[in-house]
Structure formats: structure tokens, C-alpha cells
Amino acid sequence: MAGKRYLFTPGPTPVPPEVLAATAEPVLHHRGPDFKALLAETLEQLRQVCRTENDVLLFTASGTGAFESAVANLLAPGDRVLAVSQGEFGERWQKLATAYGAEVIPLAYEWGETPRAEDLAAALAETPADVVFLVHSETSTGVVADIQSLTAAAKETGALVVVDAVSSLGAVPLEADAWGVDVVVSGTQKALMSPPGLALATVSAAAWDRAERVTTPRFYFDWRRYRKALDAGSTPFTPAVATVAGLNAALTLILQEGLENAFARHAALGRACREGAKAMGLELFSPDEERSAVVTAILTPEEANAKELVLALRERHGITVAGGHGDMATRLFRIGHIGWFDVFDITTALAAVELVLADMGAPIERGVAVTRALEAYAAPVTAA
Ligand code: PLP
């Protein structure tokens, strides 16, 4: 059918009609009382989703803007940071901190590996750092890290902990306060099922203390400006007011579903996707574990170039999945399942992948993926 489109990427993600409708409301003036009430409510909803009592700052920027805000406000040239990387976004922390003149100690894993708290503890014992940067869900590989144990290892040494939760917030459990995370950064276009355009950072008392002392030049992302404006119920610069309205509607839906229910749904979606892919004979690149609930990274059989698969899915069936980053581009594709997703999105994606791979002459088993995905969605896999 002409024009029918399916968005199965790990961001941007599909946006529910209630959220789209909210973004289409008449534009509010950002200094007026209506917007102030909307902003206050949205920040309170975000505190609930991040499970924090800390300040939440909202930027009109993509997720990387919130990354940059954390680096600019927490690091002065020469400060020592440890950035754990297991893919594209951990490497982004390293590049950003380097750009700001920090001394970066990398704790680098192969793409697809899961970081370990004991490695972090050992690295920090050898070279202490002022700030530790972590990635919760590494969207390039599908690995979801154990932020609780990594944060505990970093806190032992007194370092501040900053977590990239751009693709995980709202999809997998994250307890900012209970786990002691100083700064959580995220964006709207992933599990928060809103259009792209807003990013957020939660800031703990210890992070504020450091931000006050750091002398690094900053302006648009100067956290102090956001706090001052918040005291007057506003933002320092004109925010994307329509996207704030959409985010508010999306967070209302998420909180109505209940965070625990949303986490369980995402775990079931991930499980369905992995089991369906394996049933047709594909090899997973992302870990085969319940926690891998954000995006499933799958290897194509040797016969099938992943770039061609991604292209054919879009051109023949109107389906957008994500390709692989860098060296993995010809072997890897990724099906995202965060935000406004249900099991029929998974079965649609798997059915189309099966069709295209079969057309490409790949040796896959046909007719089993959808059934297996539906079974796995309904019941956790039990060990044989
Ligand atoms: N971190 C993670 C884990 C991501 O998935 C992304 C985007 O895909 C980013 C950071 C960067 O966010 P943005 O593209 O909104 O700047």
C-alpha cells in the first residue's frame, strides 16, 4: 500500500496519536502561565521516570546536547575522567571529554561486550578519576549494562557518575537516586515516545557542587542558567514548546501504564524479537538476555549483505530498521523495540526480514519466526 510506513528503529521511534495531537495544539508562549504549568508538570513526570528527587534540566537539543552539557559543566581542562565504552556512544563520551581538554582514561571493550564492575574498580584503583561516564543501553550493539554495580564501583572511589540513558530511559529499570547516579542524560525520541528535539539531565547535589566550581567557558548549556530560570518556572532560552507538550502527553501515558509494566513489556518485546530471529536461523549479535530489551542486533547470513537488507525492507515493504555502525554495516542490522511498541510490531518486522532474506537466497527457515516470537512474548524462556 503506497505510503504505509513502519518505523522499527531504536530512535526516533513511533509516536502515539495522543502525543502527536498534543504537539499540534496552539503554540504557547514560553513565559506565560500555561507553559509554566506544563513545564513544571513535565519536569515532575521526568523525576518520576528517572526515579530521582534531583533537579531535572530540559534542553532544546538532541541527546548529544545533554552529553555536552554534562562535560562542559563537570570538567575543566586537565580533569581526569574514565569513560567506559562498549560501542558508539561510550566512544562519544571519550571524544567529547577529549574535546574539552580532559585527560581521558578509556576503559574500552570490544563492541558487543558487556562492561564489568570489577574491571571498572580495577581501572579506578590504578588511576583515580574525577568523573566516570557510563552508557546504560549501548544502542549500537544492544548491550544493556548493569548500571547499579558499575555505579557502586565508581562511587567507592568518590568519583561522580554520569549515565547515558538516551535509549534506556523508560524501557529498562534505572534508579537514579537509589543507585547514586549523579547525572542521567536522555532524549525524547526513544523510549519516551516523543518527537526528537528535547534532551534532559538530572543533576545531584554533588554534581551541582562541581558545576559551580568548574571554570570551563559555557553558555547555552550552562546548567546554572537553567536552574536560575527554573526558579522562575521557566527556561533560559525559547524551548521547543510543542515538543514539551508532546513529551508531557507521552509521560502521562507511560506513568498510566506504570513504569514496572513498561519494563516488563520491553523485556517481553526483546525476548520475542530474539527468539523469533533465532527460530529462523539467524545469529544474534546483542546478548541473549532479558535485560537486552531496547534493541536487538542481528547478524545476517553470509549470503545477505545487511545494507541491502535494510534498503530492501524500506523500498519493498515501507519498513525502516537500523543498519550497523562502522565495520559492522554489511553484517549487522538492528530492530528497535522501545516506546510505543507491541508484539505485532515485532512479528511484522520479523516476517518482513524473513521474506527479504529468503529472496536474497539466505538459508533461513521460513514460517517459524512469528509463531516463536508470539510464544516467547507470552512466556519467559525457561532453561532446558
Ligand atoms: N546515546 C545513545 C545510547 C543513543 O542511542 C543516542 C542516539 O542514538 C545518543 C546517545 C545520541 O543522541 P542524539 O542522536 O539524540 O544526539
Side-chain angles (χ1 to χ4, degrees):
M1 191 183 7
K4 177 94 177 168
R5 291 264 183 240
Y6 304 84
L7 185 59
F8 298 144
T9 64
T13 60
V15 174
E18 295 91 327
V19 178
L20 288 176
T23 65
E25 289 281 321
V27 169
L28 297 175
H29 192 267
H30 64 296
R31 303 280 178 229
D34 294 349
F35 183 74
K36 285 184 177 181
L38 181 74
L39 180 67
E41 187 178 272
T42 309
L43 295 176
E44 180 46 38
Q45 291 170 318
L46 284 172
R47 265 191 287 276
Q48 289 181 43
V49 172
C50 296
R51 295 192 156 151
T52 186
E53 299 286 323
N54 291 335
D55 291 322
V56 178
L57 310 179
L58 201 57
F59 312 103
T60 295
S62 80
T64 307
F67 267 51
E68 179 140 7
S69 85
V71 169
N73 285 275
L74 296 176
L75 298 181
D79 282 352
R80 203 181 295 139
V81 311
L82 191 147
V84 179
S85 75
Q86 69 268 25
E88 170 89 10
F89 297 105
E91 290 174 10
R92 187 164 300 179
W93 278 130
Q94 294 171 354
K95 288 179 192 154
L96 250 165
T98 304
Y100 274 79
E103 184 193 331
V104 180
I105 311 157
L107 175 55
Y109 292 89
E110 290 292 322
W111 282 40
E113 277 193 285
T114 304
R116 290 173 291 270
E118 54 273 27
D119 297 343
L120 179 59
L124 287 170
E126 201 178 310
T127 324
D130 302 300
V131 182
V132 170
F133 292 100
L134 303 171
V135 177
H136 192 190
S137 154
E138 180 45 80
T139 323
S140 57
T141 65
V143 167
V144 173
D146 178 353
I147 291 298
Q148 185 174 11
S149 67
L150 290 164
T151 302
K155 297 301 273 186
E156 280 280 300
T157 69
L160 282 186
V161 174
V162 180
V163 173
D164 166 2
V166 173
S167 64
S168 60
L169 189 66
V172 283
L174 176 67
E175 301 276 347
D177 288 0
W179 297 351
V181 178
D182 292 289
V183 176
V184 172
V185 300
S186 194
T188 43
Q189 78 276 20
K190 309 248 176 190
L192 300 187
M193 54 190 198
S194 301
L198 295 171
L200 65 103
T202 71
V203 184
S204 71
W208 273 122
D209 185 51
R210 194 172 173 84
E212 299 286 0
R213 286 185 287 112
V214 158
T215 54
T216 299
R218 58 209 124 132
F219 191 90
Y220 186 76
F221 288 122
D222 188 339
W223 285 350
R224 294 164 299 183
R225 288 179 196 278
Y226 287 80
R227 182 163 63 179
K228 194 157 167 245
L230 266 185
D231 290 342
S234 189
T235 52
F237 313 109
T238 313
V241 289
T243 312
V244 177
L247 176 62
N248 183 286
L251 292 167
T252 301
L253 293 174
I254 291 170
L255 293 169
Q256 272 168 2
E257 179 181 11
L259 275 181
E260 295 302 331
N261 292 335
F263 299 151
R265 175 170 56 84
H266 283 91
L269 289 169
R271 191 194 312 135
C273 195
R274 291 190 301 277
E275 289 299 309
K278 285 190 297 180
M280 74 172 101
L282 297 176
E283 193 186 330
L284 299 178
F285 182 76
S286 45
D288 194 0
E289 55 188 25
E290 280 287 289
R291 190 163 79 191
S292 222
V294 172
V295 53
T296 301
I298 304 169
L299 293 165
T300 53
E302 304 244 314
E303 293 77 357
N305 181 312
K307 279 185 173 175
E308 285 168 23
L309 168 69
V310 171
L311 196 68
L313 285 168
R314 190 170 63 233
E315 290 188 344
R316 282 189 230 158
H317 304 293
I319 288 179
T320 305
V321 300
H325 288 257
D327 296 346
M328 306 297 294
T330 55
R331 281 300 307 283
L332 193 83
F333 69 101
R334 293 169 299 144
I335 299 175
H337 28 76
I338 41 175
W340 196 46
F341 261 79
D342 66 21
V343 70
F344 298 109
D345 295 311
I346 299 292
T347 55
T348 301
L350 291 172
V353 165
E354 177 181 315
L355 210 58
V356 174
L357 283 177
D359 280 355
M360 292 169 95
I364 51 153
E365 188 169 349
R366 298 206 54 184
V368 287
V370 167
T371 306
R372 184 66 202 109
L374 290 171
E375 283 168 1
Y377 186 75
V381 183
T382 46

